[in-house]
Amino acid sequence: AQKAGGPQELRYILERQLDSFRRNGAGRDETTRARLETLVQRIAAASFEFQDNVNNDVRTIEVTAADLSGLPTEVRGAFPVAANGTARIAADEIAVRSILEYSDNGSLCKQVVQAYGSRGWPANDAVFKRLVADRAELAKLLGYETYAHYHLADHMVRTPRNLKAFIDQTAASLRVRSD
């Protein structure tokens, strides 16, 4: 029996570290490493821009007082009804969670989820396209088929095919349980 920290464990740690270096451009020529650095910076900037666009886009929906019926008093109190009988709901995380948890009004749930899910659009359309293109180029420069292959290579699932199989297996299991 080997002790913890023996040659196998050290070899594993070393291989993971070397893989990390390779995934960051080690062993590539100077021009490729410079391009990789540019892409990493662009991807980081685009990711922040994307999230800022989402965070700064506060969507609201207007609903009737009747749409709020069935919600607990403390939840309804967060959405005051104006003199004209309508309430404006900011589609933020708190409102979405409260409505999805307590409302039995499918239309209200759908409206608030659509407003919440649309935050950042259309501003993020161009940002997303840049992000996809830069990620694809980064993956290709590092020898991966796609960005998904690059991203998953150091995760337990390892490949997009394995991820799909896992999702399919999980979905099938959930379908069986729901029947």
Side-chain angles (χ1 to χ4, degrees), residues 2 4 12 18 23 29 33 40 46-48 80 101 106-107 116 119 122 131 142 144 147 154:
Q2 288 193 352
Y12 174 79
L18 289 172
R23 289 171 54 78
D29 63 76
R33 283 196 317 273
V40 166
S47 297
F48 284 120
E101 185 171 346
S107 175
Y116 183 77
R119 294 172 311 137
L131 197 52
L142 291 169
Y144 292 89
Y147 185 79
D154 70 343

Side-chain angles (χ1 to χ4, degrees), residues 78-153:
F79 314 123
V81 177
N84 68 357
T86 64
R88 294 192 70 72
I89 299 174
D92 59 25
E93 190 169 344
I94 294 170
V96 171
R97 284 179 183 239
S98 297
I99 289 169
L100 291 179
E101 185 171 346
Y102 297 111
S103 179
D104 57 1
N105 180 333
S107 175
L108 174 61
C109 292
K110 183 177 179 179
Q111 286 178 66
V112 76
V113 166
Q114 284 179 332
Y116 183 77
S118 298
R119 294 172 311 137
W121 187 85
N124 274 340
D125 200 39
V127 178
F128 181 73
K129 288 175 182 172
R130 283 195 327 263
L131 197 52
V132 168
D134 287 348
R135 285 177 170 179
E137 184 180 350
L138 177 97
K140 294 284 185 199
L141 285 173
L142 291 169
Y144 292 89
E145 186 178 338
T146 66
Y147 185 79
H149 288 86
Y150 165 76
H151 181 75
L152 296 173

